[in-house]
Amino acid sequence: MLIYGKQKCKSMKSKTKVKNPREEWIIAENTHEPIITQELWDTAHKVMSSKRRPAKTGELQIFAGLIYCADCGHCLTYGQKQRKDGTYYGAYDCWMYRTHGKEYCPSHYINYDTVYNLVLINLRTVLWNYRNNAQQFKSILEKKFQTDSAKEAKKLQAEYEKKQSRFEEIDRILCKLYEDSALGKIPESRYEAMSAQYESEQREIKEALPDLRQRIEQLKAESDATDKFVNLIKKYTVIDQLDAAILNELIDKIVVHHKEVAEDGRVFQQVEIYYRFIGKLEHAAESEKAA
């Protein structure tokens, strides 16, 4: 990462440096070869940032920071529920419901075993589809994204670098103009007119760079999504059980909907699984319980 514009001259007629506010810095990312991959860095920080408080049984929650309410968007919170026979089981419900009541959000109640089994089955299905026909699996994923994203990103990256280079060039021009003005090589009026013109151009470049960078990152994510996810899933031959490392490496979030009752009395609850980089696949998991 390179950062430009952390300091500036106090004025065009002074060489005293003053600090620029952080929002005025120009940040160029991915300028050096990383020690580890961005995916590994993101996964590690995702695991570290998730709160994993042990339950009454001492067990750490592997779904911490992954399960969200479909309606309010808040995390579902884990709790121990007691059965009639005195034994305990794990379950999740909406944080807004638990904190403020049903007038803010329904409970979205779902037990731990249901989530665990749904995610495990879904992951095994994804893994089987990849192992059974890797090329077809990749083709299906690639249809979700624009095929020309990589080309467009490359084009915009060249434009970004050109603007950044011009921004630095204007800095040098302004310094030279100041020197020429101070030495009397150009009239004061000429200096003021030219410096105002260059400063205006520099402001326009500065305003354009963040939006350009955001678009480049978006296009890169679209073009790289399939390869990034395949690189994750191909490391697994079989998934026998879930743990926090597997979940945080492969899954972005799990969205739980409120239960719905069909006309025949059966109760349905939709659970959507969003995978890293590629989002929700076609075979979204759905649980069905008897009324």
Side-chain angles (χ1 to χ4, degrees), residues 95-163:
W95 179 87
M96 284 293 286
Y97 169 81
R98 181 177 290 193
T99 306
H100 301 290
K102 62 183 180 180
E103 62 271 18
Y104 287 87
C105 196
S107 70
H108 294 80
Y109 176 90
I110 190 168
N111 70 51
Y112 173 89
D113 289 340
T114 299
V115 175
Y116 185 98
N117 291 327
L118 281 172
V119 173
L120 182 58
I121 291 170
N122 201 281
L123 270 173
R124 284 175 172 172
T125 302
V126 171
L127 185 58
W128 185 88
N129 286 336
Y130 171 72
R131 292 291 176 189
N132 186 55
N133 192 330
Q135 196 57 47
Q136 183 181 19
F137 182 84
K138 290 182 66 174
S139 297
I140 291 172
L141 293 185
E142 286 169 352
K143 288 179 181 178
K144 296 185 61 166
F145 310 103
Q146 298 177 3
T147 56
D148 59 346
S149 292
K151 292 181 180 179
E152 181 67 14
K154 187 176 181 179
K155 178 182 175 182
L156 291 180
Q157 181 66 36
E159 182 182 346
Y160 182 91
E161 292 172 0
K162 184 178 179 180
K163 286 183 179 294

Side-chain angles (χ1 to χ4, degrees), residues 130 137-138 141 225-234:
Y130 171 72
F137 182 84
K138 290 182 66 174
L141 293 185
T226 296
D227 288 337
K228 285 181 177 180
F229 183 72
V230 167
N231 286 337
L232 293 180
I233 199 71
K234 72 181 182 182

Side-chain angles (χ1 to χ4, degrees), residues 33-47:
E33 187 69 25
I35 298 173
I36 62 173
T37 65
Q38 185 66 45
E39 291 75 26
L40 181 57
W41 172 272
D42 292 341
T43 299
H45 279 258
K46 187 178 179 183
V47 173

Side-chain angles (χ1 to χ4, degrees), residues 4-8 18-25 206:
Y4 303 93
K6 294 179 72 173
Q7 293 182 323
K8 64 180 179 181
V18 294
K19 290 184 177 180
N20 252 345
R22 186 178 180 86
E23 57 269 19
E24 294 184 10
W25 295 358
K206 189 174 184 178

Side-chain angles (χ1 to χ4, degrees), residues 254-271:
I254 301 163
V255 177
V256 177
H257 291 252
H258 192 54
K259 293 177 182 177
E260 297 181 8
V261 181
E263 292 182 359
D264 60 5
R266 289 182 299 167
V267 179
F268 293 84
Q269 185 169 22
Q270 185 182 11
V271 178

Side-chain angles (χ1 to χ4, degrees), residues 4 163-173 202:
Y4 303 93
K163 286 183 179 294
Q164 197 171 63
S165 177
R166 178 58 176 168
F167 186 93
E168 296 168 18
E169 182 184 18
I170 292 174
D171 267 342
R172 294 190 292 271
I173 292 172
Q202 199 174 47

